[in-house]
């Protein structure tokens, strides 16, 4: 993977730069379309035989890099790719913080291959690795993580998303005295912030997109953290209705075709089976993890987080684009 490092950095940079002029435009599909086009062009110039194994867009009916799409110039290593051209399109559309262009590479056949659907996710850092079990209740997991970290429960910090589907989890954690940080969007950033050595959070629990889950798994593995995930269908995430049931049945059918199971708990080592991964995220708008794009007298400045699993390095790349 190492020869692909700078090509990956340039790819997320190009996606972020393409989306940035539309910050605050109010239309997230325009933003996604610009980022997807820029990312596809960049990917197709890279000397690799890449395959999109999981990507963002199907849930929201947005522009996307298709699952199964072949990218690269047809030479070089065979690569699995998990991609979210813009994590937080709504945040870019509304001029809010924490939007990223994000992607992960791993050797062919090593990355979880599933539809773009909802996924329940639980992430902890290295000190609490082995303490989580998504088959148990959230309360049990929070108690186990607190015990592993040797922290009183009322000092534990949980990050999640401020979504209606997560209100029961927020209320459950709050009743236990756990400090809850509810972000508008962005569980990739939340996963990384949980696993970093100077971590802001002790545990991340969300129900969000599967592509973000697989991308996060790559970063979590590189940080020696721990993660478990469970695919859930549209009705389980959004509630029962005729239209939601149609989507849910389609998701279950596609999962069967791909050989993955809905409502099965997958361990981190099943989400990504190789340590030779690359994770890359470029900030579009400023946030807790990365600075957003900044216009300066001499050009546009980007900030990118690059994590290399093979050598366990975490690099912050500041670039000027004139």
């Amino acid at each position: 993977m190492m020869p692909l490092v700078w090509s990956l950095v340039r790819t997320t940079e190009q996606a972020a730069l393409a989306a940035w002029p539309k910050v605050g435009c109010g239309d997230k599909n325009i933003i996604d379309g610009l980022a997807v086009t820029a990312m596809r062009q960049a990917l197709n110039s890279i000397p690799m035989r890449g395959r999109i194994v999981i990507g963002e867009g199907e849930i929201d009916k947005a522009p996307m890099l298709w699952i199964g799409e072949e990218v690269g110039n047809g030479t070089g290593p065979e690569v699995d790719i998990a991609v979210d051209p813009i994590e937080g399109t709504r945040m870019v559309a509304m001029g809010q913080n924490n939007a990223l262009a994000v992607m992960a590479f791993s050797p062919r056949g090593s990355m979880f291959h599933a539809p773009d659907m909802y996924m329940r996710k639980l992430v902890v850092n290295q000190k609490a690795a082995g303490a989580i079990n998504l088959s148990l209740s959230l309360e049990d997991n929070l108690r186990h993580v607190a015990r592993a970290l040797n922290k009183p429960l009322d000092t534990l910090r949980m990050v999640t998303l401020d979504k209606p589907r997560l209100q029961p989890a927020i209320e459950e954690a709050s009743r236990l005295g756990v400090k809850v940080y509810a972000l508008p969007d962005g569980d990739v950033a939340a996963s990384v912030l949980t696993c970093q050595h100077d971590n802001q959070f002790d545990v991340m629990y969300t129900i969000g997109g599967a592509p973000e889950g697989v991308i996060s798994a790559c970063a979590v593995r590189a940080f020696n953290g721990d993660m478990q995930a469970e695919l859930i269908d549209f009705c389980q995430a959004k509630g029962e209705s005729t239209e939601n049931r149609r989507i849910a049945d389609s998701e279950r059918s596609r999962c069967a075709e791909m050989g993955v199971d809905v409502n099965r708990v997958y361990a981190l080592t099943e989400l990504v089976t190789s340590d030779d991964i690359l994770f890359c995220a470029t900030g579009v708008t400023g946030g807790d993890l990365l600075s957003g794009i900044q216009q300066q007298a001499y050009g546009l400045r980007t900030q990118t987080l690059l994590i290399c699993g093979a050598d366990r390095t975490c690099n912050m790349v500041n670039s000027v684009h004139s």
Side-chain angles (χ1 to χ4, degrees), residues 50-73:
R51 179 187 64 169
I52 308 296
V53 298
I54 191 163
E56 177 72 12
E58 291 177 334
I59 288 178
D60 300 322
K61 298 181 174 61
M64 60 188 292
L65 286 150
W66 300 98
I67 295 173
E69 181 174 345
E70 300 286 336
V71 293
N73 70 4

Side-chain angles (χ1 to χ4, degrees), residues 231-269:
L231 294 173
I232 62 174
D233 69 33
F234 205 76
C235 285
Q236 291 172 316
K238 293 285 194 176
E240 194 71 45
S241 73
T242 301
E243 176 60 16
N244 288 1
R245 175 49 54 192
R246 183 191 65 79
I247 297 170
D249 289 345
S250 174
E251 289 173 337
R252 287 180 176 272
S253 176
R254 292 194 63 202
C255 283
E257 292 172 5
M258 293 183 179
V260 295
D261 299 319
V262 180
N263 301 134
R264 174 189 160 188
V265 173
Y266 286 91
L268 177 60
T269 52

Side-chain angles (χ1 to χ4, degrees), residues 4-309:
L4 301 178
V5 163
W6 291 110
S7 296
L8 177 55
V9 170
R10 297 306 176 214
T11 298
T12 58
E13 286 180 341
Q14 290 304 309
L17 288 165
W20 177 75
K22 292 296 183 180
V23 171
C25 75
D27 190 329
K28 67 178 186 177
N29 281 349
I30 288 176
I31 292 160
D32 243 344
L34 291 168
V36 166
T37 298
M39 191 168 271
R40 181 178 281 116
Q41 290 174 348
L43 285 170
N44 283 329
S45 70
I46 300 176
M48 66 175 182
R49 290 167 288 167
R51 179 187 64 169
I52 308 296
V53 298
I54 191 163
E56 177 72 12
E58 291 177 334
I59 288 178
D60 300 322
K61 298 181 174 61
M64 60 188 292
L65 286 150
W66 300 98
I67 295 173
E69 181 174 345
E70 300 286 336
V71 293
N73 70 4
T75 65
E78 292 186 306
V79 178
D80 280 352
I81 301 170
V83 57
D84 190 352
I86 300 293
E87 188 202 20
T89 50
R90 185 178 64 84
M91 293 185 289
V92 179
M94 301 306 294
Q96 297 173 343
N97 287 343
N98 286 317
L100 308 172
V102 62
M103 180 179 288
F105 286 0
S106 70
R108 179 65 61 93
S110 63
M111 197 178 284
F112 190 65
H113 182 43
D116 176 13
M117 58 190 293
Y118 282 101
M119 176 183 272
R120 201 160 64 101
K121 312 160 201 177
L122 187 61
V123 173
V124 292
N125 64 26
Q126 183 177 7
K127 294 179 181 178
I132 57 174
N133 183 350
L134 201 50
S135 299
L136 302 177
S137 68
L138 178 59
E139 178 178 346
D140 285 342
N141 277 287
L142 292 173
R143 291 188 183 280
H144 292 165
V145 171
R147 189 176 302 117
L149 296 176
N150 195 28
K151 296 182 67 169
L153 199 59
D154 61 3
T155 65
L156 202 69
R157 300 160 300 174
M158 184 183 91
V159 61
T160 187
L161 300 182
D162 187 13
K163 304 288 185 182
R165 61 182 177 270
L166 284 158
Q167 285 309 305
I170 292 171
E171 292 169 6
E172 183 178 1
S174 297
R175 281 197 304 270
L176 296 170
V178 173
K179 305 299 185 292
V180 178
Y181 299 76
L183 307 180
D185 282 295
D187 58 31
V188 173
S191 296
V192 174
L193 290 167
T194 299
C195 288
Q196 285 179 327
H197 294 299
D198 54 347
N199 57 305
Q200 294 187 29
F201 311 115
D202 300 308
V203 58
M204 197 246 354
Y205 175 80
T206 63
I207 298 171
E212 293 94 334
V214 176
I215 295 169
S216 296
C218 293
V220 173
R221 179 154 184 160
F223 277 122
N224 291 320
D226 198 6
M227 176 177 180
Q228 292 189 357
E230 173 194 5
L231 294 173
I232 62 174
D233 69 33
F234 205 76
C235 285
Q236 291 172 316
K238 293 285 194 176
E240 194 71 45
S241 73
T242 301
E243 176 60 16
N244 288 1
R245 175 49 54 192
R246 183 191 65 79
I247 297 170
D249 289 345
S250 174
E251 289 173 337
R252 287 180 176 272
S253 176
R254 292 194 63 202
C255 283
E257 292 172 5
M258 293 183 179
V260 295
D261 299 319
V262 180
N263 301 134
R264 174 189 160 188
V265 173
Y266 286 91
L268 177 60
T269 52
E270 295 174 295
L271 297 172
V272 56
T273 63
S274 173
D275 286 324
D276 189 16
I277 61 95
L278 296 175
F279 167 97
C280 195
T282 299
V284 182
T285 57
D288 300 307
L289 183 63
L290 290 165
S291 298
I293 295 174
Q294 299 174 8
Q295 188 162 19
Q296 301 177 335
Y298 42 80
L300 296 176
R301 182 177 180 272
T302 60
Q303 186 172 67
T304 298
L305 175 67
L306 172 68
I307 302 171
C308 302

